[in-house]
Amino acid sequence: RLPPAVESRWLGALPPARRARLERLREPADRAASLAGLALLLAAARRAGLPPPVPSRLDWPERGKPCWKDGPDFSIAHGGGHV
């Protein structure tokens, strides 16, 4: 589980529809896993020498995987306590 201030800051960086979807999750661990995936994407971009995407500008299709327009394809999965 993330500290409340960290969770709030990360949720606030998301587009409203994605934020609302994560806030509806019953389990805090599920929210934390999704937010950890986002943190990994940003860290991977930096490590690859790319300017990290602005989270609110990622495309978050309903029930689909996020897309980084003008960025590389990526996939981040989470389950069972691992991201």
Coordinates of all heavy atoms in Angstrom, one line a residue:
R1 N 0.8 -1.2 0.0 CA 0.0 0.0 0.0 C 0.9 1.2 0.0 O 1.9 1.3 0.7 CB -0.9 0.0 1.2 CG -1.8 1.1 1.3 CD -2.8 1.0 2.3 NE -3.7 2.1 2.2 CZ -4.9 2.2 2.7 NH1 -5.4 1.2 3.4 NH2 -5.7 3.2 2.5
L2 N 0.5 2.2 -0.8 CA 1.2 3.5 -0.8 C 0.8 4.4 0.3 O -0.3 4.4 0.7 CB 0.9 4.2 -2.2 CG 1.4 3.5 -3.4 CD1 0.9 4.3 -4.6 CD2 2.9 3.5 -3.5
P3 N 1.8 5.2 0.7 CA 1.4 6.3 1.7 C 0.3 7.2 1.1 O 0.3 7.4 -0.1 CB 2.7 7.1 1.9 CG 3.8 6.1 1.5 CD 3.2 5.3 0.5
P4 N -0.7 7.6 1.8 CA -1.8 8.4 1.3 C -1.3 9.6 0.5 O -1.9 9.9 -0.5 CB -2.6 8.8 2.5 CG -2.3 7.8 3.5 CD -0.9 7.3 3.3
A5 N -0.3 10.3 0.9 CA 0.1 11.5 0.2 C 0.7 11.1 -1.2 O 0.5 11.8 -2.2 CB 1.2 12.3 1.0
V6 N 1.4 10.0 -1.2 CA 2.0 9.6 -2.5 C 0.9 9.1 -3.5 O 0.8 9.5 -4.6 CB 3.0 8.4 -2.3 CG1 3.4 7.8 -3.6 CG2 4.2 8.9 -1.5
E7 N -0.1 8.3 -2.9 CA -1.2 7.9 -3.8 C -2.0 9.1 -4.3 O -2.3 9.2 -5.5 CB -2.1 7.0 -2.9 CG -3.3 6.5 -3.8 CD -4.1 5.5 -3.0 OE1 -3.6 4.4 -2.7 OE2 -5.3 5.8 -2.8
S8 N -2.2 10.1 -3.4 CA -3.0 11.2 -3.8 C -2.3 12.0 -4.9 O -2.9 12.5 -5.9 CB -3.2 12.1 -2.6 OG -3.9 13.3 -3.0
R9 N -1.0 12.2 -4.8 CA -0.2 12.9 -5.8 C -0.2 12.2 -7.1 O -0.4 12.8 -8.2 CB 1.2 13.1 -5.3 CG 2.1 14.0 -6.2 CD 3.5 14.3 -5.6 NE 4.3 13.1 -5.6 CZ 4.8 12.6 -4.4 NH1 4.5 13.2 -3.3 NH2 5.5 11.6 -4.4
W10 N 0.0 10.9 -7.1 CA 0.0 10.1 -8.4 C -1.4 10.1 -9.0 O -1.5 10.2 -10.2 CB 0.5 8.7 -8.1 CG 2.0 8.7 -8.1 CD1 2.8 8.8 -7.0 CD2 2.9 8.5 -9.2 NE1 4.1 8.7 -7.4 CE2 4.2 8.6 -8.7 CE3 2.7 8.4 -10.6 CZ2 5.3 8.5 -9.6 CZ3 3.8 8.3 -11.4 CH2 5.1 8.3 -10.9
L11 N -2.4 9.9 -8.2 CA -3.8 9.9 -8.8 C -4.1 11.3 -9.4 O -4.7 11.4 -10.4 CB -4.8 9.6 -7.7 CG -4.9 8.1 -7.3 CD1 -5.8 8.0 -6.0 CD2 -5.4 7.2 -8.4
G12 N -3.6 12.4 -8.7 CA -3.8 13.7 -9.2 C -3.2 14.0 -10.6 O -3.5 14.9 -11.3
A13 N -2.2 13.2 -10.9 CA -1.4 13.4 -12.2 C -2.1 12.7 -13.4 O -1.8 13.0 -14.5 CB 0.0 12.8 -12.1
L14 N -3.1 11.9 -13.1 CA -3.8 11.1 -14.1 C -5.0 11.9 -14.7 O -5.5 12.8 -14.1 CB -4.4 9.8 -13.5 CG -3.3 8.8 -13.0 CD1 -4.0 7.7 -12.3 CD2 -2.4 8.4 -14.2
P15 N -5.4 11.5 -15.9 CA -6.6 12.2 -16.5 C -7.8 11.8 -15.6 O -7.8 10.7 -15.0 CB -6.7 11.6 -17.9 CG -5.6 10.6 -18.1 CD -4.8 10.6 -16.8
P16 N -8.8 12.6 -15.6 CA -9.9 12.4 -14.7 C -10.6 11.0 -14.8 O -10.9 10.4 -13.8 CB -10.9 13.5 -15.0 CG -10.1 14.6 -15.6 CD -8.9 13.9 -16.3
A17 N -10.8 10.5 -16.0 CA -11.4 9.2 -16.2 C -10.6 8.1 -15.6 O -11.1 7.2 -15.0 CB -11.7 9.0 -17.7
R18 N -9.3 8.1 -15.8 CA -8.4 7.1 -15.3 C -8.4 7.2 -13.8 O -8.4 6.2 -13.1 CB -7.0 7.2 -15.9 CG -6.0 6.2 -15.4 CD -6.5 4.8 -15.9 NE -5.5 3.8 -15.4 CZ -5.7 2.5 -15.4 NH1 -6.8 2.0 -15.8 NH2 -4.8 1.7 -14.9
R19 N -8.3 8.4 -13.3 CA -8.2 8.6 -11.8 C -9.5 8.0 -11.2 O -9.4 7.3 -10.2 CB -8.1 10.0 -11.5 CG -8.0 10.3 -10.0 CD -7.8 11.8 -9.6 NE -8.7 12.7 -10.3 CZ -8.4 13.6 -11.2 NH1 -7.2 13.8 -11.6 NH2 -9.4 14.4 -11.7
A20 N -10.7 8.3 -11.8 CA -11.9 7.8 -11.2 C -12.0 6.3 -11.3 O -12.4 5.6 -10.3 CB -13.1 8.4 -12.0
R21 N -11.5 5.7 -12.3 CA -11.4 4.2 -12.4 C -10.6 3.6 -11.3 O -11.0 2.6 -10.7 CB -10.9 3.8 -13.8 CG -10.9 2.3 -14.0 CD -10.6 2.0 -15.5 NE -10.2 0.7 -15.7 CZ -10.9 -0.4 -15.6 NH1 -12.2 -0.3 -15.4 NH2 -10.5 -1.6 -15.8
L22 N -9.4 4.2 -11.1 CA -8.6 3.6 -10.0 C -9.2 3.9 -8.6 O -9.1 3.0 -7.7 CB -7.2 4.2 -10.1 CG -6.3 3.8 -11.3 CD1 -5.0 4.4 -11.2 CD2 -6.2 2.3 -11.4
E23 N -9.8 5.0 -8.4 CA -10.4 5.3 -7.1 C -11.6 4.4 -6.8 O -11.9 4.2 -5.7 CB -10.9 6.8 -7.1 CG -9.7 7.7 -7.0 CD -10.2 9.2 -7.1 OE1 -11.2 9.5 -7.7 OE2 -9.4 10.0 -6.7
R24 N -12.2 3.8 -7.9 CA -13.3 2.8 -7.6 C -12.8 1.4 -7.2 O -13.6 0.6 -6.8 CB -14.2 2.7 -8.9 CG -15.1 3.9 -9.1 CD -16.1 3.7 -10.2 NE -15.5 3.3 -11.5 CZ -15.2 4.1 -12.5 NH1 -15.4 5.4 -12.3 NH2 -14.7 3.6 -13.6
L25 N -11.5 1.2 -7.4 CA -11.0 -0.2 -7.0 C -11.2 -0.4 -5.5 O -10.9 0.5 -4.7 CB -9.6 -0.3 -7.4 CG -9.3 -0.3 -8.9 CD1 -7.8 -0.2 -9.2 CD2 -9.9 -1.5 -9.6
R26 N -11.6 -1.5 -5.1 CA -11.9 -1.8 -3.7 C -10.6 -2.0 -2.9 O -10.5 -1.6 -1.8 CB -12.7 -3.1 -3.6 CG -14.2 -2.9 -3.9 CD -14.9 -4.1 -3.6 NE -15.7 -4.4 -4.8 CZ -16.4 -5.5 -5.0 NH1 -16.4 -6.4 -4.1 NH2 -17.1 -5.7 -6.1
E27 N -9.6 -2.6 -3.6 CA -8.4 -3.0 -2.8 C -7.3 -1.9 -3.0 O -7.0 -1.6 -4.2 CB -7.9 -4.3 -3.3 CG -8.8 -5.5 -3.0 CD -9.0 -5.7 -1.5 OE1 -8.1 -5.5 -0.7 OE2 -10.2 -6.1 -1.2
P28 N -6.8 -1.3 -2.0 CA -5.7 -0.4 -2.1 C -4.5 -1.0 -2.8 O -3.8 -0.2 -3.6 CB -5.4 0.0 -0.7 CG -6.6 -0.3 0.1 CD -7.3 -1.5 -0.6
A29 N -4.3 -2.3 -2.7 CA -3.2 -2.9 -3.3 C -3.3 -2.9 -4.9 O -2.3 -2.7 -5.6 CB -3.0 -4.3 -2.9
D30 N -4.6 -3.0 -5.4 CA -4.8 -2.9 -6.8 C -4.5 -1.5 -7.3 O -3.9 -1.3 -8.4 CB -6.2 -3.3 -7.1 CG -6.5 -4.7 -6.8 OD1 -5.6 -5.5 -6.8 OD2 -7.7 -5.0 -6.6
R31 N -4.9 -0.5 -6.6 CA -4.5 0.9 -6.9 C -3.0 1.1 -6.9 O -2.5 1.7 -7.9 CB -5.2 1.9 -6.0 CG -6.3 2.7 -6.5 CD -6.8 3.8 -5.6 NE -6.7 3.5 -4.2 CZ -7.6 2.9 -3.5 NH1 -8.7 2.4 -4.0 NH2 -7.5 2.7 -2.2
A32 N -2.4 0.6 -5.9 CA -0.9 0.8 -5.8 C -0.2 0.1 -6.9 O 0.8 0.6 -7.4 CB -0.5 0.2 -4.4
A33 N -0.7 -1.1 -7.3 CA 0.0 -1.8 -8.4 C -0.1 -1.0 -9.7 O 0.8 -0.9 -10.5 CB -0.7 -3.2 -8.6
S34 N -1.3 -0.5 -10.0 CA -1.5 0.4 -11.2 C -0.6 1.6 -11.2 O 0.1 1.9 -12.2 CB -2.9 0.8 -11.4 OG -3.7 -0.3 -11.8
L35 N -0.5 2.2 -10.0 CA 0.3 3.4 -9.9 C 1.8 3.0 -10.0 O 2.6 3.8 -10.5 CB 0.0 4.2 -8.6 CG -1.4 4.8 -8.6 CD1 -1.7 5.3 -7.2 CD2 -1.6 5.8 -9.7
A36 N 2.2 1.9 -9.4 CA 3.6 1.4 -9.5 C 4.0 1.2 -11.0 O 5.1 1.4 -11.4 CB 3.8 0.2 -8.7
G37 N 3.0 0.6 -11.8 CA 3.3 0.4 -13.2 C 3.6 1.8 -13.9 O 4.5 1.8 -14.7
L38 N 2.8 2.8 -13.5 CA 3.1 4.1 -14.1 C 4.4 4.6 -13.7 O 5.2 5.2 -14.5 CB 2.0 5.1 -13.6 CG 2.1 6.5 -14.1 CD1 2.1 6.6 -15.6 CD2 1.0 7.3 -13.5
A39 N 4.8 4.4 -12.4 CA 6.1 4.9 -11.9 C 7.2 4.1 -12.7 O 8.2 4.7 -13.0 CB 6.2 4.7 -10.4
L40 N 7.0 2.9 -13.0 CA 8.0 2.1 -13.7 C 8.2 2.6 -15.1 O 9.3 2.7 -15.7 CB 7.7 0.6 -13.7 CG 7.9 -0.1 -12.4 CD1 7.4 -1.5 -12.5 CD2 9.4 -0.2 -12.1
L41 N 7.0 3.0 -15.8 CA 7.1 3.5 -17.1 C 7.9 4.8 -17.1 O 8.8 5.0 -18.0 CB 5.7 3.8 -17.6 CG 5.6 4.6 -19.0 CD1 6.3 3.8 -20.1 CD2 4.2 4.9 -19.3
L42 N 7.7 5.7 -16.2 CA 8.4 6.9 -16.1 C 9.9 6.7 -15.9 O 10.8 7.3 -16.5 CB 7.8 7.9 -15.1 CG 6.3 8.2 -15.3 CD1 5.9 9.1 -14.1 CD2 6.1 8.9 -16.6
A43 N 10.2 5.8 -15.0 CA 11.6 5.4 -14.7 C 12.3 4.8 -15.9 O 13.5 5.1 -16.2 CB 11.7 4.5 -13.5
A44 N 11.6 3.9 -16.6 CA 12.2 3.3 -17.8 C 12.4 4.3 -18.9 O 13.5 4.2 -19.6 CB 11.2 2.2 -18.3
A45 N 11.6 5.2 -19.1 CA 11.8 6.3 -20.1 C 13.0 7.1 -19.7 O 13.9 7.3 -20.6 CB 10.6 7.2 -20.2
R46 N 13.2 7.5 -18.5 CA 14.4 8.2 -18.1 C 15.6 7.4 -18.3 O 16.6 7.9 -18.8 CB 14.3 8.6 -16.6 CG 13.3 9.7 -16.4 CD 13.4 10.2 -14.9 NE 12.2 11.0 -14.6 CZ 11.1 10.5 -13.9 NH1 11.1 9.2 -13.5 NH2 10.1 11.2 -13.7
R47 N 15.6 6.1 -17.9 CA 16.7 5.3 -18.1 C 17.1 5.1 -19.5 O 18.3 4.9 -19.9 CB 16.5 3.9 -17.4 CG 17.7 3.0 -17.4 CD 17.5 1.9 -16.5 NE 18.8 1.2 -16.5 CZ 19.3 0.6 -15.4 NH1 18.6 0.6 -14.3 NH2 20.5 0.0 -15.5
A48 N 16.1 5.1 -20.4 CA 16.4 4.9 -21.9 C 16.8 6.3 -22.5 O 17.0 6.3 -23.7 CB 15.1 4.4 -22.6
G49 N 16.9 7.3 -21.7 CA 17.2 8.6 -22.2 C 16.1 9.4 -22.9 O 16.4 10.3 -23.7
L50 N 14.9 9.0 -22.7 CA 13.7 9.6 -23.2 C 13.1 10.5 -22.2 O 13.1 10.2 -21.0 CB 12.7 8.6 -23.7 CG 13.1 7.5 -24.7 CD1 12.0 6.4 -24.8 CD2 13.3 8.2 -26.0
P51 N 12.5 11.7 -22.7 CA 11.8 12.5 -21.7 C 10.5 11.7 -21.3 O 9.8 11.2 -22.2 CB 11.4 13.7 -22.5 CG 11.6 13.4 -23.9 CD 12.6 12.2 -24.0
P52 N 10.3 11.5 -20.1 CA 9.1 10.7 -19.6 C 7.8 11.3 -20.1 O 7.7 12.6 -20.1 CB 9.3 10.6 -18.1 CG 10.2 11.6 -17.7 CD 11.0 12.0 -18.9
P53 N 6.8 10.5 -20.4 CA 5.5 11.1 -20.7 C 4.9 11.8 -19.5 O 5.1 11.4 -18.4 CB 4.7 9.9 -21.2 CG 5.3 8.7 -20.4 CD 6.8 9.1 -20.3
V54 N 4.1 12.7 -19.8 CA 3.2 13.3 -18.8 C 2.1 12.4 -18.6 O 1.3 12.1 -19.5 CB 2.7 14.7 -19.3 CG1 1.8 15.3 -18.2 CG2 3.9 15.7 -19.5
P55 N 1.9 11.9 -17.4 CA 0.8 10.9 -17.1 C -0.6 11.3 -17.7 O -1.3 10.5 -18.2 CB 0.8 10.7 -15.6 CG 2.2 11.0 -15.2 CD 2.6 12.1 -16.1
S56 N -0.9 12.6 -17.5 CA -2.2 13.0 -17.9 C -2.4 13.0 -19.5 O -3.5 13.1 -20.0 CB -2.5 14.4 -17.4 OG -1.6 15.3 -17.9
R57 N -1.3 12.9 -20.2 CA -1.3 12.9 -21.6 C -1.2 11.5 -22.3 O -1.3 11.4 -23.5 CB -0.2 13.8 -22.2 CG -0.4 15.2 -21.7 CD 0.3 16.2 -22.4 NE -0.1 16.3 -23.8 CZ 0.6 16.9 -24.7 NH1 1.7 17.6 -24.4 NH2 0.2 16.9 -25.9
L58 N -1.1 10.5 -21.4 CA -1.2 9.1 -21.9 C -2.6 8.8 -22.3 O -3.5 9.4 -21.8 CB -0.7 8.1 -20.9 CG 0.8 8.1 -20.5 CD1 1.0 7.3 -19.3 CD2 1.6 7.7 -21.6
D59 N -2.8 8.0 -23.3 CA -4.1 7.6 -23.8 C -4.5 6.3 -22.9 O -3.8 5.3 -23.0 CB -4.1 7.2 -25.3 CG -5.4 6.9 -25.8 OD1 -6.4 7.3 -25.2 OD2 -5.5 6.3 -26.9
W60 N -5.6 6.4 -22.2 CA -6.1 5.4 -21.3 C -7.4 4.9 -21.8 O -8.4 5.3 -21.3 CB -6.2 5.9 -19.9 CG -5.0 6.4 -19.3 CD1 -4.5 7.7 -19.3 CD2 -4.0 5.7 -18.5 NE1 -3.3 7.8 -18.6 CE2 -3.0 6.6 -18.1 CE3 -3.9 4.3 -18.2 CZ2 -1.9 6.2 -17.4 CZ3 -2.8 3.9 -17.4 CH2 -1.8 4.9 -17.0
P61 N -7.4 4.0 -22.9 CA -8.7 3.6 -23.4 C -9.4 2.7 -22.3 O -8.8 2.0 -21.5 CB -8.4 2.7 -24.6 CG -6.9 2.4 -24.5 CD -6.3 3.5 -23.6
E62 N -10.7 2.8 -22.3 CA -11.5 2.0 -21.4 C -11.2 0.5 -21.6 O -11.3 0.0 -22.7 CB -13.0 2.3 -21.6 CG -13.9 1.6 -20.6 CD -13.7 2.2 -19.1 OE1 -13.4 3.3 -19.0 OE2 -14.0 1.4 -18.2
R63 N -10.8 -0.2 -20.6 CA -10.5 -1.6 -20.6 C -9.4 -2.0 -21.6 O -9.2 -3.1 -21.9 CB -11.8 -2.4 -21.1 CG -12.9 -2.3 -20.1 CD -12.5 -3.1 -18.9 NE -13.7 -3.5 -18.1 CZ -13.6 -3.8 -16.9 NH1 -12.4 -3.8 -16.3 NH2 -14.7 -4.1 -16.2
G64 N -8.6 -1.0 -22.0 CA -7.5 -1.2 -22.8 C -6.2 -0.9 -22.1 O -6.1 -0.4 -21.0
K65 N -5.1 -1.2 -22.8 CA -3.8 -0.9 -22.3 C -3.4 0.6 -22.6 O -3.8 1.0 -23.7 CB -2.8 -1.8 -22.9 CG -3.0 -3.3 -22.5 CD -1.8 -4.1 -22.6 CE -2.1 -5.5 -22.3 NZ -1.9 -5.8 -20.9
P66 N -2.7 1.3 -21.7 CA -2.4 2.6 -22.0 C -1.5 2.7 -23.2 O -0.8 1.8 -23.6 CB -1.7 3.1 -20.7 CG -1.3 1.9 -20.0 CD -2.2 0.8 -20.5
C67 N -1.5 3.9 -23.8 CA -0.7 4.1 -25.0 C 0.0 5.5 -24.9 O -0.6 6.5 -24.4 CB -1.6 4.2 -26.3 SG -0.7 4.6 -27.8
W68 N 1.3 5.5 -25.2 CA 2.1 6.7 -25.2 C 2.2 7.2 -26.6 O 3.1 6.7 -27.4 CB 3.5 6.4 -24.6 CG 4.5 7.5 -24.5 CD1 4.3 8.8 -24.8 CD2 5.8 7.3 -24.0 NE1 5.5 9.5 -24.6 CE2 6.4 8.6 -24.1 CE3 6.5 6.3 -23.5 CZ2 7.7 8.9 -23.7 CZ3 7.8 6.5 -23.1 CH2 8.4 7.8 -23.1
K69 N 1.4 8.2 -27.0 CA 1.5 8.7 -28.3 C 2.9 9.3 -28.6 O 3.4 10.0 -27.7 CB 0.4 9.8 -28.5 CG -1.0 9.2 -28.5 CD -2.0 10.3 -28.6 CE -3.4 9.8 -28.4 NZ -4.4 10.8 -28.3
D70 N 3.4 9.0 -29.7 CA 4.7 9.5 -30.1 C 5.8 8.9 -29.2 O 7.0 9.4 -29.3 CB 4.8 11.0 -30.1 CG 3.9 11.7 -31.0 OD1 3.6 11.1 -32.1 OD2 3.3 12.7 -30.6
G71 N 5.5 7.9 -28.5 CA 6.5 7.2 -27.7 C 6.6 5.7 -28.1 O 5.8 5.3 -28.9
P72 N 7.5 5.0 -27.5 CA 7.6 3.6 -27.8 C 6.4 2.8 -27.3 O 5.7 3.2 -26.3 CB 8.9 3.1 -27.1 CG 9.0 4.1 -26.0 CD 8.5 5.4 -26.4
D73 N 6.2 1.6 -27.9 CA 5.1 0.7 -27.4 C 5.6 0.2 -26.0 O 6.9 0.0 -25.8 CB 4.9 -0.4 -28.3 CG 4.2 0.0 -29.6 OD1 3.5 1.0 -29.6 OD2 4.3 -0.7 -30.6
F74 N 4.7 -0.1 -25.1 CA 5.1 -0.6 -23.8 C 4.0 -1.5 -23.3 O 2.8 -1.3 -23.7 CB 5.5 0.5 -22.8 CG 4.4 1.3 -22.4 CD1 3.6 1.0 -21.3 CD2 4.0 2.4 -23.2 CE1 2.6 1.8 -20.9 CE2 2.9 3.2 -22.8 CZ 2.2 2.9 -21.7
S75 N 4.3 -2.3 -22.4 CA 3.3 -3.1 -21.7 C 3.8 -3.3 -20.3 O 4.9 -3.7 -20.0 CB 3.1 -4.5 -22.4 OG 2.2 -5.3 -21.7
I76 N 2.9 -3.1 -19.4 CA 3.2 -3.3 -17.9 C 2.0 -4.1 -17.3 O 0.9 -3.7 -17.4 CB 3.3 -1.9 -17.2 CG1 4.5 -1.1 -17.8 CG2 3.6 -2.2 -15.7 CD1 4.6 0.3 -17.3
A77 N 2.4 -5.2 -16.8 CA 1.4 -6.1 -16.2 C 1.6 -6.1 -14.7 O 2.7 -5.9 -14.2 CB 1.5 -7.5 -16.8
H78 N 0.5 -6.4 -14.0 CA 0.6 -6.6 -12.5 C -0.4 -7.6 -12.1 O -1.4 -7.8 -12.6 CB 0.5 -5.2 -11.8 CG -0.8 -4.5 -12.1 ND1 -2.0 -4.7 -11.5 CD2 -1.0 -3.5 -13.0 CE1 -2.9 -3.9 -11.9 NE2 -2.3 -3.1 -12.9
G79 N 0.0 -8.3 -11.0 CA -0.8 -9.3 -10.4 C 0.0 -10.1 -9.4 O 1.2 -10.2 -9.4
G80 N -0.7 -10.6 -8.4 CA -0.1 -11.3 -7.4 C 1.0 -10.6 -6.6 O 1.9 -11.2 -6.1
G81 N 0.8 -9.3 -6.5 CA 1.7 -8.5 -5.7 C 3.0 -8.1 -6.5 O 3.9 -7.5 -5.9
H82 N 3.0 -8.4 -7.8 CA 4.2 -8.0 -8.6 C 3.8 -7.1 -9.7 O 2.7 -7.2 -10.3 CB 4.9 -9.3 -9.2 CG 5.4 -10.2 -8.1 ND1 6.5 -10.0 -7.5 CD2 4.8 -11.3 -7.6 CE1 6.7 -11.0 -6.6 NE2 5.7 -11.8 -6.7
V83 N 4.7 -6.2 -10.1 CA 4.4 -5.3 -11.3 C 5.5 -5.6 -12.3 O 6.7 -5.7 -11.9 CB 4.4 -3.8 -10.8 CG1 4.3 -2.9 -12.0 CG2 3.3 -3.6 -9.8

